Amino acid sequence: MNRKYRKTVIAGNWKMNLLPSDVKPFAERLKAEAGRVKFCDVVICAPAVMIPAAVKAFRDTRIAVGAQDVSEHDAGAFTGEISAAQLRDAGAKYVIIGHSERRQYHGETDAAVNGKLRAALEAGLTPIVCVGETLSQRETGVSLDMIRAQVKSALYGIPAEKARKIIIAYEPIWAIGTGMTATPEQAEEVCGEIRAVFRGMYDARAARAVTIQYGGSMNPANAAELLSQPDIDGGLIGGASLDAEKLLAIINAANQ
Ligand code: PGA
């Protein structure tokens, strides 16, 4: 973390879990403790149907609500899709883009990720763009090439003043939901490289300002060490974000 230059952001990714009726009790538990959070931003990325309930439950707190996907189109005949303007109007402030589960199960390409990123920025949402390598890519030594390519494609054509508003989440696919976490050194190496891509595409200021999260089995036991790395500015948390106590423990680690 480096709070002098950039925000620390802890985001929970609930994925397709919980029910709308679970939001209020979860929020009560989180609100009771999260009032003390001063040094990091906290986001709950809920399933789309739960966004209104989450916005209501977290009103007047420092906890923001995010979505897990967004359409690259503005409006029109795209049955089942949700636009960035609709998310924004419903009260969402953030949106996850290009999560590996969407790339893997829904065929989301780098070009689609770029389109979604543009749509989110246009609507004033803060995008959390996910990148990450598979286990075989890591084992064959091409992780950094993969990540550089994913970040560059995502940012293609995005001007510097907009790039500053983006959060990148480094999520090694082999670490997601597996209990296998990247070591702090592995995560730092990639997050540092992502910052270098920003430096190359924009400038040192943009690179210094971008928040880069780590995601993949982050939990109360490993959060503090991961977050102590200079280029890791927060976490995107799946499984552990479904348990208010675990999420609070991670928030506390980021709030130190
Ligand atoms: P995990 O998920 O924390 O359950 O590994 C992270 C994510 O997919 O965002």
Side-chain angles (χ1 to χ4, degrees):
M1 294 186 286
N2 187 335
R3 290 206 195 92
K4 190 167 162 216
Y5 295 117
R6 48 195 178 256
K7 280 186 180 174
T8 303
V9 182
I10 297 293
N13 174 10
W14 280 357
K15 308 193 179 186
M16 199 174 71
N17 293 296
L18 306 178
L19 296 171
S21 55
D22 293 322
V23 172
K24 202 170 165 218
F26 188 99
E28 293 303 327
R29 183 66 202 94
L30 211 57
K31 272 157 67 177
E33 300 283 337
R36 287 187 275 119
V37 178
K38 300 220 164 26
F39 305 120
C40 74
D41 289 359
V42 179
V43 188
I44 297 290
C45 294
V49 287
M50 287 145 75
I51 288 173
V55 168
K56 189 168 170 216
F58 290 116
R59 187 166 290 150
D60 302 325
T61 72
R62 286 177 49 103
I63 302 165
V65 176
Q68 299 174 8
D69 183 30
V70 63
S71 173
E72 58 193 291
H73 304 288
D74 290 343
F78 299 102
T79 302
E81 292 286 276
I82 300 176
S83 74
Q86 288 168 335
L87 292 174
R88 184 68 209 236
D89 195 62
K93 297 252 179 336
Y94 290 75
V95 61
I96 297 172
I97 293 175
H99 190 280
S100 62
E101 286 151 17
R102 297 223 45 97
R103 294 181 192 253
Q104 192 178 346
Y105 308 132
H106 301 273
E108 245 175 53
T109 60
D110 284 337
V113 170
N114 179 258
K116 288 173 183 225
L117 178 56
R118 288 165 189 257
L121 288 167
E122 193 59 38
L125 294 169
T126 300
I128 301 176
V129 178
C130 302
V131 295
E133 81 284 3
T134 62
L135 189 55
S136 72
Q137 285 162 344
R138 175 155 285 273
E139 284 170 350
T140 48
V142 297
S143 305
L144 293 180
D145 294 330
M146 272 293 308
I147 304 289
R148 276 192 290 262
Q150 282 181 333
V151 175
K152 284 182 191 169
S153 321
L155 295 175
Y156 179 75
I158 308 280
E161 71 274 11
K162 289 204 168 162
R164 250 176 249 129
K165 301 185 178 128
I166 299 170
I167 295 174
I168 304 283
Y170 166 53
E171 297 209 306
I173 295 169
W174 48 272
I176 295 177
T178 57
M180 270 168 74
T181 317
T183 63
E185 295 72 26
Q186 285 172 327
E188 169 61 20
E189 181 190 28
V190 178
C191 293
E193 195 58 33
I194 293 170
R195 205 174 297 290
V197 173
F198 269 72
R199 202 173 299 120
M201 287 182 78
Y202 304 105
D203 55 19
R205 235 176 105 213
R208 232 170 25 211
V210 63
T211 292
I212 303 174
Q213 299 174 319
Y214 168 80
S217 300
M218 192 185 257
N219 61 44
N222 60 31
E225 209 185 346
L226 285 159
L227 293 167
S228 70
Q229 301 299 311
D231 288 301
I232 301 180
D233 310 308
L236 182 56
I237 297 120
S241 76
L242 297 169
D243 179 325
E245 307 306 321
K246 287 186 184 164
L247 183 58
L248 278 166
I250 296 171
I251 293 169
N252 283 335
N255 195 39
Q256 295 309 311

